[in-house]
Amino acid sequence: MPLIVDVHTHVYPPAYMQMLRSRKTVPYVHDPSNNRDPRLIILSSDDDASIPLDQRGRPVDSSYWDINVKLSFMRQHGINCSVISLANPWLDFVEPAEAQMWAERINDDLEKTCATVNKAADPGNTLTLDQKETLFAFGALPLSAPSSESVVAEIKRLKTLEHLRGVIMGTSGLGKGLDDARLDPVWEALQETDMLMFLHPHYGLPEEAYGGPETTGRYGHVLPLALGFPLETTIAVTRMLLSGVFDRFPRLKILLAHSGGTLPFLAGRIESCILHERKFISGGGDVQGPQRSVWDVLKTNIYLDAVVYGKPGLEAAMTASGSDRLLFGTDHPFFPPLDSKDNSWPSVTTNYQAIHATFDTNSKTVADVLGGNAARILNLK
Amino acid sequence: MPLIVDVHTHVYPPAYMQMLRSRKTVPYVHDPSNNRDPRLIILSSDDDASIPLDQRGRPVDSSYWDINVKLSFMRQHGINCSVISLANPWLDFVEPAEAQMWAERINDDLEKTCATVNKAADPGNTLTLDQKETLFAFGALPLSAPSSESVVAEIKRLKTLEHLRGVIMGTSGLGKGLDDARLDPVWEALQETDMLMFLHPHYGLPEEAYGGPETTGRYGHVLPLALGFPLETTIAVTRMLLSGVFDRFPRLKILLAHSGGTLPFLAGRIESCILHERKFISGGGDVQGPQRSVWDVLKTNIYLDAVVYGKPGLEAAMTASGSDRLLFGTDHPFFPPLDSKDNSWPSVTTNYQAIHATFDTNSKTVADVLGGNAARILNLK
């Protein structure tokens, strides 16, 4: 059986669900009176008071919190290994005093889930990765904690947990974006521990970008999810670049969700705008611009998942970062089929097809993107 | 000499500059007291009261209004033919009662400029397109006029002008975006007259998308121009698609600026989000979603300029729409070299290089993208 690793797959552990149930503002979980699946209201645009609470947001079923459902999804789609991560909005909203406690609790929970599943699949630890079902994880960080010291401490603690391979992070950082100089100790800790940071969107764009609430209401989640999410990721990583994060931490490793948002496509335009910016010293101004080019960062610091649902995006990702930096993913449990979950998920098969269509002449590259790259980059064994 | 056609090249005719000089709110032109080049303040983010008026916005020189400067730029870069268009924000801001007058005045001015230049270059009309210097134009529309009838009338009038080959339009339409049903008569007139619509960004994204004024100030124009512009285009064309414009007007022809903004890269994600949208009838809801796929529209209705400054973007554009729908452009007079304008412009040579790098194995395709496609699609002769 070929090794297939899913690097983009989310969980809401039971403890996290319980915390969301206790909340009344976004993000929160509401149990409908009709005994149907709980409703998850995670985006502020979901929290539409004109919609009855029982129908607000999206239904979440056991695929979000029951690891056995994920394992069965993996079997159905030929995935032997998943690197699970807490879904958005992670711990961004947690009370500062409780942030560290929640990070430790969630990350210990992730470690335990991985250990239990891996032990059951291979009690004697005699099988290779492609012969069994394995889980690894990206940890959550206490970014709302009073000081970045808690974040650094958690990164160092994660390094000691057997199944943790990096961290997942949103775009708000300590609340002011990823170009915030107060994050330098965090980047330093990630670089030092050689832990990969999985950068993932959650906040999207202000609603006016789409024409206001009227438009968003008309088209449901399409504009915020299809366009807002990828652009949020692109803005976040571009702000890191512009502020010199990659100059100061040249060995930082970042996995960008959704094949980089739009970074591979816009890289040339970003580079051109930087070279033409009068505010930067290179353009006659007084602000230090980035010293390394976007192209260099894309091939040195950036990894891209292959969750882009089509050949044009995947080709751009490959040309920008290299096929040795592309990693298969599913975004499970989001985007389930709307008819029956018993069938294979189009959101997954579309990405499989795009990988085959892009690399069809080279089966080694297909195998690398599907699993080999992840095993090497994340040191999975 | 090979035929090279620039489909993305802007002008501010002298009459338009004069109108901008008479204004005190964005967009406006200010003549510095020190007798240097006038300052153009076109983006609301440019109009920063903390910056002295003499330094606000960007300097604009004769390359914006003197057609001889553009012709010399063309010669310098081997371009034989340019399809000139009014630069943003066109006539979007004009008083309703004056909109039609301004559209006619600008478009007559464009027609006259083309006629004069073409006549001088080939008095006997004996040369082929690749043997001479030629201008064509995209017209401006009176979109702020009290009724869309003025817009329709101007489209029909443009069809009678010898050198007009389509229209240029921003993303606001009649003020409420391009998914506004009141635009249907406009789409119908464009389809009927077989006039191409060049869709171009201007408004970008709300500043909060980048982290507010503090961030924008830090990085100058990089975030709004490199990311805001392309996303604005992508949102606009996606809203057209979602509202069924391409279902109702299947022969509409649209040229998207900057290789589609990010449309080729995000097409797969857009299509996936549409197929998973519970609000649409196809997902169990009650809203009619788009009937034609993004992929179909990309290969039938959309043309893309090749102004994307890199191979990854150009490859995605080619795969999404086809190399027979890609058209060379420069974005002149924007992005001049910051040192000396006497040298060739990196913003142009970067795009030449990307075209050669992407299609290097096929010189016919290179020639098509550089000029052949434009001549065929725009009926240039």
Side-chain angles (χ1 to χ4, degrees):
Chain A
M1 199 156 109
L3 173 66
I4 300 190
V5 181
D6 181 357
V7 301
H8 189 154
T9 177
H10 301 295
V11 292
Y12 284 139
Y16 189 80
M17 283 295 290
Q18 225 33 60
M19 172 175 66
L20 291 181
R21 276 195 169 84
S22 73
R23 295 172 52 86
K24 299 287 169 215
T25 54
V26 172
Y28 66 99
V29 163
H30 166 75
D31 288 295
S33 45
N34 57 10
N35 220 5
R36 301 187 69 157
D37 281 337
R39 308 292 299 192
L40 172 66
I41 299 94
I42 48 171
L43 304 177
S44 55
S45 57
D46 288 345
D47 200 21
D48 181 346
S50 73
I51 298 173
L53 206 48
D54 284 8
Q55 291 156 37
R56 215 173 288 174
R58 70 195 77 199
V60 288
D61 61 17
S62 54
S63 63
Y64 284 74
W65 61 80
D66 183 345
I67 199 69
N68 289 309
V69 179
K70 189 176 292 287
L71 291 169
S72 125
F73 161 85
M74 288 166 61
R75 279 167 218 141
Q76 193 186 2
H77 294 88
I79 298 163
N80 352 44
C81 175
S82 286
V83 188
I84 58 176
S85 52
L86 188 63
N88 49 309
W90 315 282
L91 303 171
D92 283 9
F93 55 90
V94 170
E95 283 298 322
E98 296 185 348
Q100 188 158 10
M101 178 276 286
W102 273 109
E104 291 176 9
R105 194 164 159 183
I106 296 287
N107 292 332
D108 287 343
D109 188 287
L110 291 172
E111 169 62 25
K112 198 174 149 194
T113 300
C114 295
T116 309
V117 166
N118 295 2
K119 181 94 188 211
D122 183 15
N125 199 15
T126 54
L127 303 173
T128 58
L129 208 55
D130 55 336
Q131 294 171 328
K132 60 183 175 182
E133 215 158 69
T134 326
L135 297 182
F136 293 91
F138 295 128
L141 293 178
L143 291 164
S144 66
S147 141
S148 67
E149 282 171 36
S150 309
V151 184
V152 169
E154 186 61 9
I155 291 170
K156 292 185 173 164
R157 194 182 77 86
L158 288 173
K159 186 69 181 174
T160 69
L161 301 183
E162 195 182 340
H163 299 93
L164 271 288
R165 287 296 183 272
V167 300
I168 186 164
M169 205 189 275
T171 62
S172 76
L174 301 173
K176 296 195 157 215
L178 301 186
D179 52 0
D180 183 350
R182 295 178 304 154
L183 278 166
D184 273 11
V186 175
W187 306 136
E188 193 172 7
L190 287 170
Q191 180 171 275
E192 242 179 57
T193 55
D194 197 28
M195 296 273 268
L196 179 133
M197 187 266 260
F198 181 19
L199 176 58
H200 193 288
H202 168 72
Y203 298 95
L205 295 173
E207 226 172 7
E208 313 93 84
Y210 314 116
E214 198 190 322
T215 314
T216 326
R218 216 167 138 188
Y219 310 127
H221 288 98
V222 176
L223 294 169
L225 284 184
L227 309 184
F229 263 36
L231 201 80
E232 180 192 352
T233 307
T234 314
I235 291 174
V237 67
T238 305
R239 286 173 65 181
M240 289 177 73
L241 179 98
L242 293 173
S243 68
V245 169
F246 298 107
D247 299 322
R248 297 197 296 285
F249 305 98
R251 289 176 289 113
L252 200 57
K253 291 180 178 173
I254 300 194
L255 169 63
L256 296 179
H258 315 117
S259 298
T262 63
L263 185 66
F265 189 85
L266 292 179
R269 186 168 172 89
I270 295 168
E271 187 67 12
S272 178
C273 284
I274 291 170
L275 295 175
H276 288 87
E277 178 52 52
R278 293 171 208 272
K279 200 140 202 159
F280 293 152
I281 292 170
S282 55
D286 52 11
V287 175
Q288 172 81 297
Q291 301 304 295
R292 294 176 55 205
S293 81
V294 186
W295 302 117
D296 177 25
V297 169
L298 270 162
K299 290 196 188 290
T300 312
N301 303 92
I302 305 281
Y303 300 93
L304 303 167
D305 72 24
V307 185
V308 71
Y309 309 98
K311 197 179 167 190
L314 211 53
E315 282 181 336
M318 174 187 66
T319 302
S321 283
S323 58
D324 57 333
R325 307 177 78 83
L326 271 178
L327 306 129
F328 174 76
T330 63
D331 220 344
H332 181 263
F334 296 96
F335 303 109
L338 295 186
D339 41 5
S340 159
K341 284 181 207 177
D342 298 337
N343 302 324
S344 58
W345 293 28
S347 59
V348 177
T349 53
T350 304
N351 281 316
Y352 270 131
Q353 283 157 9
I355 292 169
H356 283 284
T358 306
F359 306 108
D360 57 359
T361 53
N362 191 332
S363 59
K364 167 75 167 67
T365 307
V366 170
D368 284 347
V369 173
L370 290 178
N373 290 340
R376 183 188 80 248
I377 294 160
L378 297 171
N379 190 28
L380 308 180
K381 50 189 168 196
Chain B
M1 199 155 111
L3 173 65
I4 301 190
V5 181
D6 180 357
V7 300
H8 190 155
T9 179
H10 301 295
V11 291
Y12 284 139
Y16 189 80
M17 282 296 290
Q18 225 33 60
M19 171 175 65
L20 292 180
R21 274 195 171 85
S22 73
R23 296 172 50 86
K24 298 288 170 216
T25 55
V26 171
Y28 65 98
V29 163
H30 166 76
D31 289 294
S33 45
N34 56 11
N35 220 2
R36 301 187 70 156
D37 281 335
R39 307 292 301 190
L40 171 67
I41 298 95
I42 49 170
L43 304 176
S44 54
S45 58
D46 288 344
D47 199 22
D48 182 344
S50 73
I51 298 172
L53 207 49
D54 283 7
Q55 291 155 39
R56 215 173 287 173
R58 71 193 77 198
V60 289
D61 60 17
S62 53
S63 63
Y64 284 74
W65 61 81
D66 183 346
I67 200 68
N68 289 309
V69 179
K70 189 176 291 290
L71 291 169
S72 124
F73 162 86
M74 288 167 60
R75 278 168 219 143
Q76 193 185 4
H77 294 88
I79 298 163
N80 352 45
C81 175
S82 285
V83 187
I84 57 176
S85 53
L86 188 62
N88 49 307
W90 315 283
L91 304 172
D92 283 10
F93 55 90
V94 170
E95 284 299 323
E98 296 183 349
Q100 188 159 7
M101 177 275 285
W102 272 109
E104 290 176 10
R105 192 163 160 185
I106 296 288
N107 292 332
D108 287 345
D109 189 286
L110 291 172
E111 169 63 25
K112 196 174 150 195
T113 300
C114 295
T116 310
V117 166
N118 295 2
K119 181 95 189 212
D122 182 14
N125 199 15
T126 54
L127 304 173
T128 58
L129 208 56
D130 56 337
Q131 294 171 327
K132 59 182 174 183
E133 216 159 65
T134 327
L135 297 182
F136 293 91
F138 294 129
L141 294 178
L143 290 164
S144 66
S147 143
S148 67
E149 282 171 37
S150 309
V151 185
V152 169
E154 186 61 9
I155 291 169
K156 292 185 174 164
R157 195 181 77 88
L158 289 173
K159 185 68 182 177
T160 69
L161 300 184
E162 193 182 341
H163 299 93
L164 270 289
R165 286 298 181 272
V167 300
I168 186 165
M169 206 190 274
T171 63
S172 75
L174 302 173
K176 296 193 157 219
L178 301 186
D179 52 0
D180 184 347
R182 294 178 304 153
L183 278 166
D184 273 10
V186 175
W187 307 136
E188 194 172 6
L190 287 169
Q191 181 172 276
E192 241 178 58
T193 54
D194 197 29
M195 296 274 267
L196 178 133
M197 188 266 262
F198 180 20
L199 176 58
H200 193 289
H202 167 73
Y203 298 95
L205 294 172
E207 227 173 6
E208 313 93 83
Y210 314 115
E214 199 190 320
T215 313
T216 326
R218 220 168 135 185
Y219 309 127
H221 288 99
V222 177
L223 293 170
L225 284 185
L227 310 184
F229 263 36
L231 201 80
E232 180 193 350
T233 307
T234 315
I235 291 174
V237 66
T238 305
R239 286 173 66 181
M240 289 178 72
L241 179 98
L242 292 174
S243 68
V245 169
F246 298 108
D247 299 323
R248 296 197 296 286
F249 304 98
R251 290 176 290 113
L252 201 57
K253 289 181 178 172
I254 300 194
L255 169 64
L256 297 179
H258 315 118
S259 299
T262 64
L263 186 67
F265 189 85
L266 291 180
R269 187 169 171 89
I270 295 167
E271 186 68 11
S272 179
C273 285
I274 290 171
L275 296 175
H276 288 87
E277 177 52 51
R278 293 170 207 274
K279 201 141 202 157
F280 293 152
I281 292 171
S282 55
D286 52 13
V287 174
Q288 171 81 298
Q291 301 303 295
R292 294 176 53 205
S293 82
V294 185
W295 302 118
D296 177 24
V297 169
L298 269 162
K299 289 196 189 290
T300 312
N301 304 90
I302 306 280
Y303 300 92
L304 304 168
D305 73 27
V307 184
V308 70
Y309 310 97
K311 196 179 167 190
L314 211 53
E315 283 181 335
M318 173 186 65
T319 303
S321 284
S323 58
D324 57 334
R325 307 178 77 82
L326 271 179
L327 306 129
F328 174 75
T330 63
D331 221 343
H332 181 265
F334 296 98
F335 303 110
L338 296 187
D339 40 6
S340 160
K341 283 180 209 177
D342 299 336
N343 302 324
S344 57
W345 292 28
S347 59
V348 177
T349 53
T350 305
N351 281 316
Y352 270 131
Q353 282 156 11
I355 291 169
H356 283 284
T358 305
F359 307 108
D360 56 359
T361 52
N362 191 332
S363 59
K364 167 77 166 68
T365 308
V366 170
D368 285 347
V369 173
L370 289 179
N373 291 340
R376 183 187 80 247
I377 294 161
L378 296 172
N379 191 28
L380 308 180
K381 51 189 171 196

